[in-house]
Each structure stands twice: as C-alpha cells, then as structure tokens.
Amino acid sequence: NNPLVITLSSSIISIITINKQEQFKIECPPNTVELQAHNSHRANLKGWCTTSNFDNVNYSSPTNFPGGKLVYLNYNDEQNEKVPFLIRTPTLDCRTGLKIWKDSNADILLTVPKEHKLTDTFGDCLDSLDNKILLDSKRYCNEWFKKKNCSDDELLNNLNKSLKSNDNNSSNIKLKLLKKDCRWIPEVYNKNRVISTPEKEIIANCSMDCIIQCYAIHIRKDNNYGILFRLVQAKVYPPKNIITGKCMIVDSSDEEN
C-alpha cells in the first residue's frame, strides 16, 4: 500500500500505513496486532505490536487536571467495544533510570535511536499517531481549546510530539509509572521473567521491552498539547558490564605492594 498523504492547508503530513506482518508469530497482548518484524539481538522478539488502525481511536470529553485538562483515549475493537490503546515496543535503552515524584508516581525516558532497523517502524508509528491527534485537534478545536477556530500552523506549533529529539542522534519517549492504593500499576519483570519492582529493575543504563498505553492527551492552559503514555508491563535487562556478586576493589595497601 502507498503511504497516505493528508494536507492541512499549509502543512503536508504523511501518515505511514502499517500492515500486519504474517510471517512472524509473536505473543501480542489482547486488542493488538503485530506491527512489523525485526530481529533483536538482545531478546527473542521478532516484532512488536500496536492497534494499527488509528481511525478507531476515540476520545473522552475533557476532564480538568492540574495545569490544564486531560482527554482520555480508547480504541474501538472489532466488536466496537472500547479497549485500552496498547503498543508493544522494541528493546529500548533507559539511560537515566527511574525518576520518582513527590506524589510517588514516576517517569522514565526511553531512548529511540534514529535510523536503526529495530526502531524505525516504531518511530513511524508514533509519528503517525501524532499526525492523527493533529488532524483531530482541528475537528475538536472548540471542545479541547475553547476556541471557535484554530489555524493549522497554531495546532502544529502547539503539538508536543511523542518523540523528543536529543543531542545524541536519537529521540526520547517519556512513560509514566502510576500507583493506585500505594501499589504500582505496571508489572515489571526481570530478565528471567520473574515479577519484580520498578525500583529494583529500572536503573540507569538498563534496557527494556515494554507494553505501553496511549491513555490521554494532556492539554495545558497555554493550549500546548500532546499524548501521555504509561507503562503497562516491562521486561528489564540489567546494564551490561556491571559486575555483581564479587568484590573487585583492591585494597590500597595491596596496590602499593
């Protein structure tokens, strides 16, 4: 299939069409399909998953939220029932570890390399989702932004993209880790698939395979807006070349001798 090109007056936005790949079989969570195959050198994954038809994304009415409001996202499945909008990621690096806030919730930044065979299609998927939100923001201009008319340039400039570029030829995606009744909602497993905790596993320079949920659009008071992602499940791989279980420090007196 050819890419779908949609024009917003002065802006031309290419939405990448995503096809289900049948040649690889992987375990996708419910309500997702395989996005595109790859061969990971760090895991047994041969693909990742997403709900690929963005036309089936639907929105709640805006809800007040500190600093602005939230529009919650869901996805209409084949039975037209609303289900969570899930994406399975390729293996991504977490260079800074877990950042816990005063409210006990947390954030992580995952690095998405540019022009890398494992992450190109994942990046295209997020770009396509941003484009979907951008198109729909025109339709919901009054409801979301309390404005009768929104210009294309204004909507484009106010959109906070899901992937944030950094200085290392890569981009970052931010995921939220939420708690309910003082317990973590996401399930975090170690490399041996044993259930663990975010504090123990998500440390600086680890890497992880994730199932994430696109759960809301955050609209700030200045009308900047963007998608919020939360972690649903992760399998975490420890940093490489980290020695544990044996003291490698030589006493100063031994070095002098």
Side-chain angles (χ1 to χ4, degrees), residues 54-91:
F54 297 143
D55 291 337
N56 289 350
V57 174
N58 60 72
Y59 311 101
S60 72
S61 298
T63 301
N64 289 333
F65 186 77
K69 50 195 170 187
L70 293 180
V71 175
Y72 291 99
L73 274 71
N74 283 298
Y75 184 82
N76 288 339
D77 65 9
E78 295 177 355
Q79 286 74 41
N80 205 34
E81 294 182 1
K82 292 182 179 180
V83 296
F85 183 10
L86 303 176
I87 296 176
R88 177 174 164 179
T89 74
T91 304

mmCIF file of all heavy atoms in Angstrom, residues 54-91:
data_model
loop_
_atom_site.group_PDB
_atom_site.id
_atom_site.type_symbol
_atom_site.label_atom_id
_atom_site.label_comp_id
_atom_site.label_asym_id
_atom_site.label_seq_id
_atom_site.Cartn_x
_atom_site.Cartn_y
_atom_site.Cartn_z
ATOM 1 N N PHE A 54 -5.620 3.701 13.288
ATOM 2 C CA PHE A 54 -5.797 4.864 14.138
ATOM 3 C C PHE A 54 -7.170 5.508 13.971
ATOM 4 O O PHE A 54 -7.567 6.331 14.801
ATOM 5 C CB PHE A 54 -4.697 5.890 13.858
ATOM 6 C CG PHE A 54 -3.315 5.393 14.184
ATOM 7 C CD1 PHE A 54 -2.239 5.728 13.394
ATOM 8 C CD2 PHE A 54 -3.108 4.590 15.283
ATOM 9 C CE1 PHE A 54 -0.971 5.274 13.693
ATOM 10 C CE2 PHE A 54 -1.838 4.125 15.595
ATOM 11 C CZ PHE A 54 -0.770 4.465 14.797
ATOM 12 N N ASP A 55 -7.885 5.171 12.916
ATOM 13 C CA ASP A 55 -9.239 5.695 12.760
ATOM 14 C C ASP A 55 -10.161 5.201 13.866
ATOM 15 O O ASP A 55 -11.209 5.805 14.116
ATOM 16 C CB ASP A 55 -9.820 5.290 11.403
ATOM 17 C CG ASP A 55 -9.123 5.994 10.254
ATOM 18 O OD1 ASP A 55 -8.546 7.067 10.497
ATOM 19 O OD2 ASP A 55 -9.161 5.480 9.115
ATOM 20 N N ASN A 56 -9.788 4.108 14.536
ATOM 21 C CA ASN A 56 -10.624 3.550 15.597
ATOM 22 C C ASN A 56 -10.321 4.142 16.965
ATOM 23 O O ASN A 56 -10.881 3.699 17.968
ATOM 24 C CB ASN A 56 -10.459 2.033 15.655
ATOM 25 C CG ASN A 56 -11.109 1.347 14.467
ATOM 26 O OD1 ASN A 56 -11.829 1.971 13.697
ATOM 27 N ND2 ASN A 56 -10.855 0.060 14.310
ATOM 28 N N VAL A 57 -9.424 5.127 17.029
ATOM 29 C CA VAL A 57 -9.149 5.816 18.282
ATOM 30 C C VAL A 57 -10.319 6.744 18.603
ATOM 31 O O VAL A 57 -10.840 7.435 17.726
ATOM 32 C CB VAL A 57 -7.842 6.623 18.188
ATOM 33 C CG1 VAL A 57 -7.631 7.468 19.437
ATOM 34 C CG2 VAL A 57 -6.650 5.693 17.976
ATOM 35 N N ASN A 58 -10.762 6.749 19.868
ATOM 36 C CA ASN A 58 -11.828 7.673 20.259
ATOM 37 C C ASN A 58 -11.435 8.414 21.528
ATOM 38 O O ASN A 58 -10.518 8.006 22.244
ATOM 39 C CB ASN A 58 -13.165 6.939 20.427
ATOM 40 C CG ASN A 58 -13.109 5.858 21.478
ATOM 41 O OD1 ASN A 58 -13.054 6.144 22.671
ATOM 42 N ND2 ASN A 58 -13.097 4.597 21.048
ATOM 43 N N TYR A 59 -12.142 9.505 21.809
ATOM 44 C CA TYR A 59 -11.757 10.431 22.857
ATOM 45 C C TYR A 59 -12.895 10.653 23.843
ATOM 46 O O TYR A 59 -14.069 10.670 23.465
ATOM 47 C CB TYR A 59 -11.362 11.790 22.259
ATOM 48 C CG TYR A 59 -10.393 11.708 21.117
ATOM 49 C CD1 TYR A 59 -10.822 11.818 19.798
ATOM 50 C CD2 TYR A 59 -9.032 11.518 21.342
ATOM 51 C CE1 TYR A 59 -9.937 11.751 18.739
ATOM 52 C CE2 TYR A 59 -8.135 11.449 20.285
ATOM 53 C CZ TYR A 59 -8.592 11.564 18.987
ATOM 54 O OH TYR A 59 -7.713 11.489 17.941
ATOM 55 N N SER A 60 -12.521 10.869 25.107
ATOM 56 C CA SER A 60 -13.497 11.264 26.115
ATOM 57 C C SER A 60 -13.699 12.776 26.044
ATOM 58 O O SER A 60 -12.973 13.491 25.350
ATOM 59 C CB SER A 60 -12.996 10.884 27.506
ATOM 60 O OG SER A 60 -11.916 11.743 27.891
ATOM 61 N N SER A 61 -14.673 13.260 26.782
ATOM 62 C CA SER A 61 -14.792 14.700 26.968
ATOM 63 C C SER A 61 -13.642 15.175 27.858
ATOM 64 O O SER A 61 -13.144 14.412 28.703
ATOM 65 C CB SER A 61 -16.128 15.051 27.622
ATOM 66 O OG SER A 61 -17.205 14.663 26.791
ATOM 67 N N PRO A 62 -13.181 16.419 27.696
ATOM 68 C CA PRO A 62 -12.070 16.908 28.525
ATOM 69 C C PRO A 62 -12.397 16.878 30.010
ATOM 70 O O PRO A 62 -13.518 17.167 30.426
ATOM 71 C CB PRO A 62 -11.878 18.350 28.031
ATOM 72 C CG PRO A 62 -12.447 18.362 26.645
ATOM 73 C CD PRO A 62 -13.598 17.402 26.673
ATOM 74 N N THR A 63 -11.398 16.488 30.802
ATOM 75 C CA THR A 63 -11.514 16.439 32.257
ATOM 76 C C THR A 63 -10.476 17.378 32.862
ATOM 77 O O THR A 63 -9.313 17.379 32.440
ATOM 78 C CB THR A 63 -11.267 15.007 32.776
ATOM 79 O OG1 THR A 63 -12.220 14.114 32.186
ATOM 80 C CG2 THR A 63 -11.387 14.944 34.286
ATOM 81 N N ASN A 64 -10.884 18.191 33.828
ATOM 82 C CA ASN A 64 -9.941 19.109 34.459
ATOM 83 C C ASN A 64 -8.815 18.337 35.127
ATOM 84 O O ASN A 64 -9.014 17.274 35.719
ATOM 85 C CB ASN A 64 -10.654 19.983 35.490
ATOM 86 C CG ASN A 64 -11.573 21.004 34.830
ATOM 87 O OD1 ASN A 64 -11.343 21.418 33.694
ATOM 88 N ND2 ASN A 64 -12.623 21.407 35.535
ATOM 89 N N PHE A 65 -7.610 18.915 35.021
ATOM 90 C CA PHE A 65 -6.398 18.281 35.520
ATOM 91 C C PHE A 65 -5.463 19.397 35.938
ATOM 92 O O PHE A 65 -5.482 20.479 35.338
ATOM 93 C CB PHE A 65 -5.778 17.423 34.397
ATOM 94 C CG PHE A 65 -4.601 16.595 34.812
ATOM 95 C CD1 PHE A 65 -4.775 15.416 35.526
ATOM 96 C CD2 PHE A 65 -3.305 16.988 34.483
ATOM 97 C CE1 PHE A 65 -3.688 14.643 35.905
ATOM 98 C CE2 PHE A 65 -2.207 16.218 34.860
ATOM 99 C CZ PHE A 65 -2.410 15.042 35.571
ATOM 100 N N PRO A 66 -4.635 19.202 36.988
ATOM 101 C CA PRO A 66 -3.719 20.277 37.406
ATOM 102 C C PRO A 66 -2.893 20.802 36.234
ATOM 103 O O PRO A 66 -2.223 20.049 35.540
ATOM 104 C CB PRO A 66 -2.831 19.586 38.450
ATOM 105 C CG PRO A 66 -3.696 18.512 39.022
ATOM 106 C CD PRO A 66 -4.550 18.027 37.879
ATOM 107 N N GLY A 67 -2.988 22.116 36.008
ATOM 108 C CA GLY A 67 -2.246 22.727 34.921
ATOM 109 C C GLY A 67 -2.934 22.652 33.576
ATOM 110 O O GLY A 67 -2.361 23.067 32.565
ATOM 111 N N GLY A 68 -4.162 22.133 33.530
ATOM 112 C CA GLY A 68 -4.856 22.035 32.253
ATOM 113 C C GLY A 68 -5.989 21.032 32.304
ATOM 114 O O GLY A 68 -6.775 21.015 33.253
ATOM 115 N N LYS A 69 -6.041 20.148 31.311
ATOM 116 C CA LYS A 69 -7.092 19.130 31.266
ATOM 117 C C LYS A 69 -6.605 17.912 30.504
ATOM 118 O O LYS A 69 -5.596 17.964 29.779
ATOM 119 C CB LYS A 69 -8.367 19.694 30.631
ATOM 120 C CG LYS A 69 -8.160 20.396 29.308
ATOM 121 C CD LYS A 69 -9.380 21.231 28.959
ATOM 122 C CE LYS A 69 -9.088 22.132 27.772
ATOM 123 N NZ LYS A 69 -10.181 23.086 27.482
ATOM 124 N N LEU A 70 -7.312 16.809 30.693
ATOM 125 C CA LEU A 70 -6.990 15.555 30.026
ATOM 126 C C LEU A 70 -8.147 15.123 29.148
ATOM 127 O O LEU A 70 -9.312 15.259 29.519
ATOM 128 C CB LEU A 70 -6.705 14.450 31.049
ATOM 129 C CG LEU A 70 -5.451 14.577 31.916
ATOM 130 C CD1 LEU A 70 -5.367 13.382 32.865
ATOM 131 C CD2 LEU A 70 -4.198 14.687 31.069
ATOM 132 N N VAL A 71 -7.807 14.601 27.962
ATOM 133 C CA VAL A 71 -8.760 13.925 27.089
ATOM 134 C C VAL A 71 -8.297 12.473 27.021
ATOM 135 O O VAL A 71 -7.207 12.188 26.517
ATOM 136 C CB VAL A 71 -8.788 14.545 25.680
ATOM 137 C CG1 VAL A 71 -9.691 13.739 24.755
ATOM 138 C CG2 VAL A 71 -9.249 15.995 25.745
ATOM 139 N N TYR A 72 -9.089 11.551 27.551
ATOM 140 C CA TYR A 72 -8.672 10.152 27.608
ATOM 141 C C TYR A 72 -8.895 9.461 26.265
ATOM 142 O O TYR A 72 -9.864 9.748 25.550
ATOM 143 C CB TYR A 72 -9.422 9.415 28.716
ATOM 144 C CG TYR A 72 -9.008 9.868 30.100
ATOM 145 C CD1 TYR A 72 -9.770 10.785 30.809
ATOM 146 C CD2 TYR A 72 -7.832 9.392 30.676
ATOM 147 C CE1 TYR A 72 -9.380 11.214 32.071
ATOM 148 C CE2 TYR A 72 -7.433 9.813 31.936
ATOM 149 C CZ TYR A 72 -8.206 10.721 32.623
ATOM 150 O OH TYR A 72 -7.804 11.153 33.869
ATOM 151 N N LEU A 73 -7.954 8.551 25.928
ATOM 152 C CA LEU A 73 -8.014 7.811 24.668
ATOM 153 C C LEU A 73 -8.431 6.375 24.919
ATOM 154 O O LEU A 73 -8.020 5.759 25.892
ATOM 155 C CB LEU A 73 -6.641 7.794 23.976
ATOM 156 C CG LEU A 73 -6.258 8.972 23.076
ATOM 157 C CD1 LEU A 73 -5.999 10.208 23.917
ATOM 158 C CD2 LEU A 73 -5.023 8.626 22.256
ATOM 159 N N ASN A 74 -9.239 5.849 24.018
ATOM 160 C CA ASN A 74 -9.541 4.429 23.961
ATOM 161 C C ASN A 74 -9.505 3.995 22.504
ATOM 162 O O ASN A 74 -9.250 4.797 21.599
ATOM 163 C CB ASN A 74 -10.902 4.115 24.584
ATOM 164 C CG ASN A 74 -10.862 4.132 26.104
ATOM 165 O OD1 ASN A 74 -10.147 3.337 26.711
ATOM 166 N ND2 ASN A 74 -11.605 5.041 26.703
ATOM 167 N N TYR A 75 -9.792 2.717 22.297
ATOM 168 C CA TYR A 75 -9.745 2.153 20.955
ATOM 169 C C TYR A 75 -10.956 1.260 20.760
ATOM 170 O O TYR A 75 -11.290 0.456 21.642
ATOM 171 C CB TYR A 75 -8.460 1.339 20.788
ATOM 172 C CG TYR A 75 -8.245 0.780 19.404
ATOM 173 C CD1 TYR A 75 -7.695 1.573 18.402
ATOM 174 C CD2 TYR A 75 -8.590 -0.525 19.090
ATOM 175 C CE1 TYR A 75 -7.493 1.070 17.129
ATOM 176 C CE2 TYR A 75 -8.388 -1.037 17.816
ATOM 177 C CZ TYR A 75 -7.835 -0.230 16.844
ATOM 178 O OH TYR A 75 -7.644 -0.727 15.596
ATOM 179 N N ASN A 76 -11.636 1.408 19.633
ATOM 180 C CA ASN A 76 -12.788 0.562 19.324
ATOM 181 C C ASN A 76 -12.308 -0.708 18.628
ATOM 182 O O ASN A 76 -11.718 -0.643 17.543
ATOM 183 C CB ASN A 76 -13.776 1.296 18.418
ATOM 184 C CG ASN A 76 -14.525 2.389 19.158
ATOM 185 O OD1 ASN A 76 -14.614 2.361 20.381
ATOM 186 N ND2 ASN A 76 -15.054 3.348 18.430
ATOM 187 N N ASP A 77 -12.563 -1.866 19.258
ATOM 188 C CA ASP A 77 -12.128 -3.125 18.649
ATOM 189 C C ASP A 77 -13.134 -3.583 17.595
ATOM 190 O O ASP A 77 -14.059 -2.844 17.216
ATOM 191 C CB ASP A 77 -11.912 -4.195 19.725
ATOM 192 C CG ASP A 77 -13.198 -4.586 20.447
ATOM 193 O OD1 ASP A 77 -14.293 -4.179 20.023
ATOM 194 O OD2 ASP A 77 -13.108 -5.319 21.450
ATOM 195 N N GLU A 78 -12.960 -4.818 17.116
ATOM 196 C CA GLU A 78 -13.812 -5.325 16.038
ATOM 197 C C GLU A 78 -15.262 -5.452 16.461
ATOM 198 O O GLU A 78 -16.172 -5.440 15.632
ATOM 199 C CB GLU A 78 -13.284 -6.679 15.553
ATOM 200 C CG GLU A 78 -11.922 -6.588 14.899
ATOM 201 C CD GLU A 78 -11.387 -7.941 14.483
ATOM 202 O OE1 GLU A 78 -12.051 -8.957 14.807
ATOM 203 O OE2 GLU A 78 -10.326 -7.981 13.840
ATOM 204 N N GLN A 79 -15.523 -5.589 17.763
ATOM 205 C CA GLN A 79 -16.897 -5.655 18.270
ATOM 206 C C GLN A 79 -17.406 -4.274 18.679
ATOM 207 O O GLN A 79 -18.440 -4.144 19.307
ATOM 208 C CB GLN A 79 -16.976 -6.591 19.481
ATOM 209 C CG GLN A 79 -16.891 -8.077 19.137
ATOM 210 C CD GLN A 79 -15.472 -8.499 18.757
ATOM 211 O OE1 GLN A 79 -14.504 -8.075 19.380
ATOM 212 N NE2 GLN A 79 -15.362 -9.325 17.734
ATOM 213 N N ASN A 80 -16.602 -3.243 18.307
ATOM 214 C CA ASN A 80 -16.946 -1.846 18.604
ATOM 215 C C ASN A 80 -16.996 -1.582 20.105
ATOM 216 O O ASN A 80 -17.727 -0.704 20.569
ATOM 217 C CB ASN A 80 -18.276 -1.445 17.956
ATOM 218 C CG ASN A 80 -18.358 0.059 17.724
ATOM 219 O OD1 ASN A 80 -17.359 0.711 17.446
ATOM 220 N ND2 ASN A 80 -19.560 0.615 17.856
ATOM 221 N N GLU A 81 -16.230 -2.341 20.870
ATOM 222 C CA GLU A 81 -16.112 -2.110 22.301
ATOM 223 C C GLU A 81 -14.847 -1.297 22.578
ATOM 224 O O GLU A 81 -13.822 -1.470 21.925
ATOM 225 C CB GLU A 81 -16.059 -3.439 23.050
ATOM 226 C CG GLU A 81 -17.338 -4.249 22.958
ATOM 227 C CD GLU A 81 -17.257 -5.534 23.768
ATOM 228 O OE1 GLU A 81 -16.206 -5.757 24.402
ATOM 229 O OE2 GLU A 81 -18.240 -6.294 23.757
ATOM 230 N N LYS A 82 -14.922 -0.425 23.570
ATOM 231 C CA LYS A 82 -13.778 0.412 23.913
ATOM 232 C C LYS A 82 -12.771 -0.392 24.725
ATOM 233 O O LYS A 82 -13.106 -0.964 25.756
ATOM 234 C CB LYS A 82 -14.239 1.632 24.710
ATOM 235 C CG LYS A 82 -15.068 2.609 23.892
ATOM 236 C CD LYS A 82 -15.452 3.822 24.718
ATOM 237 C CE LYS A 82 -16.266 4.797 23.880
ATOM 238 N NZ LYS A 82 -16.660 5.991 24.658
ATOM 239 N N VAL A 83 -11.537 -0.424 24.254
ATOM 240 C CA VAL A 83 -10.464 -1.154 24.922
ATOM 241 C C VAL A 83 -9.255 -0.235 25.039
ATOM 242 O O VAL A 83 -9.160 0.778 24.331
ATOM 243 C CB VAL A 83 -10.087 -2.434 24.134
ATOM 244 C CG1 VAL A 83 -11.258 -3.403 24.092
ATOM 245 C CG2 VAL A 83 -9.623 -2.097 22.714
ATOM 246 N N PRO A 84 -8.300 -0.533 25.915
ATOM 247 C CA PRO A 84 -7.091 0.296 26.011
ATOM 248 C C PRO A 84 -6.308 0.296 24.700
ATOM 249 O O PRO A 84 -6.273 -0.701 23.980
ATOM 250 C CB PRO A 84 -6.289 -0.373 27.136
ATOM 251 C CG PRO A 84 -7.295 -1.134 27.920
ATOM 252 C CD PRO A 84 -8.326 -1.590 26.935
ATOM 253 N N PHE A 85 -5.675 1.412 24.411
ATOM 254 C CA PHE A 85 -4.883 1.582 23.194
ATOM 255 C C PHE A 85 -3.432 1.215 23.548
ATOM 256 O O PHE A 85 -2.720 1.980 24.177
ATOM 257 C CB PHE A 85 -5.007 3.019 22.727
ATOM 258 C CG PHE A 85 -4.293 3.325 21.436
ATOM 259 C CD1 PHE A 85 -3.758 2.335 20.643
ATOM 260 C CD2 PHE A 85 -4.177 4.637 21.010
ATOM 261 C CE1 PHE A 85 -3.106 2.620 19.469
ATOM 262 C CE2 PHE A 85 -3.533 4.947 19.829
ATOM 263 C CZ PHE A 85 -2.995 3.938 19.060
ATOM 264 N N LEU A 86 -2.992 0.013 23.155
ATOM 265 C CA LEU A 86 -1.700 -0.532 23.578
ATOM 266 C C LEU A 86 -0.712 -0.587 22.433
ATOM 267 O O LEU A 86 -1.076 -0.835 21.286
ATOM 268 C CB LEU A 86 -1.886 -1.944 24.139
ATOM 269 C CG LEU A 86 -2.854 -2.108 25.304
ATOM 270 C CD1 LEU A 86 -2.991 -3.579 25.663
ATOM 271 C CD2 LEU A 86 -2.412 -1.287 26.503
ATOM 272 N N ILE A 87 0.559 -0.401 22.763
ATOM 273 C CA ILE A 87 1.663 -0.575 21.817
ATOM 274 C C ILE A 87 2.736 -1.409 22.500
ATOM 275 O O ILE A 87 3.069 -1.173 23.669
ATOM 276 C CB ILE A 87 2.273 0.766 21.383
ATOM 277 C CG1 ILE A 87 1.249 1.615 20.619
ATOM 278 C CG2 ILE A 87 3.513 0.563 20.514
ATOM 279 C CD1 ILE A 87 1.761 2.987 20.241
ATOM 280 N N ARG A 88 3.268 -2.371 21.791
ATOM 281 C CA ARG A 88 4.449 -3.096 22.285
ATOM 282 C C ARG A 88 5.672 -2.523 21.599
ATOM 283 O O ARG A 88 5.722 -2.388 20.378
ATOM 284 C CB ARG A 88 4.322 -4.587 21.998
ATOM 285 C CG ARG A 88 5.558 -5.371 22.421
ATOM 286 C CD ARG A 88 5.353 -6.859 22.273
ATOM 287 N NE ARG A 88 6.608 -7.557 22.323
ATOM 288 C CZ ARG A 88 6.718 -8.865 22.234
ATOM 289 N NH1 ARG A 88 5.645 -9.610 22.084
ATOM 290 N NH2 ARG A 88 7.901 -9.447 22.296
ATOM 291 N N THR A 89 6.684 -2.195 22.377
ATOM 292 C CA THR A 89 7.875 -1.529 21.854
ATOM 293 C C THR A 89 8.960 -2.544 21.494
ATOM 294 O O THR A 89 8.964 -3.664 22.017
ATOM 295 C CB THR A 89 8.459 -0.554 22.884
ATOM 296 O OG1 THR A 89 9.119 -1.301 23.921
ATOM 297 C CG2 THR A 89 7.383 0.318 23.498
ATOM 298 N N PRO A 90 9.903 -2.141 20.661
ATOM 299 C CA PRO A 90 11.145 -2.917 20.567
ATOM 300 C C PRO A 90 11.983 -2.699 21.827
ATOM 301 O O PRO A 90 11.594 -1.937 22.715
ATOM 302 C CB PRO A 90 11.830 -2.311 19.330
ATOM 303 C CG PRO A 90 11.309 -0.926 19.266
ATOM 304 C CD PRO A 90 9.888 -0.979 19.780
ATOM 305 N N THR A 91 13.125 -3.355 21.925
ATOM 306 C CA THR A 91 14.010 -3.166 23.077
ATOM 307 C C THR A 91 14.597 -1.758 23.035
ATOM 308 O O THR A 91 15.210 -1.365 22.040
ATOM 309 C CB THR A 91 15.144 -4.205 23.072
ATOM 310 O OG1 THR A 91 14.579 -5.511 23.034
ATOM 311 C CG2 THR A 91 16.004 -4.065 24.319
#
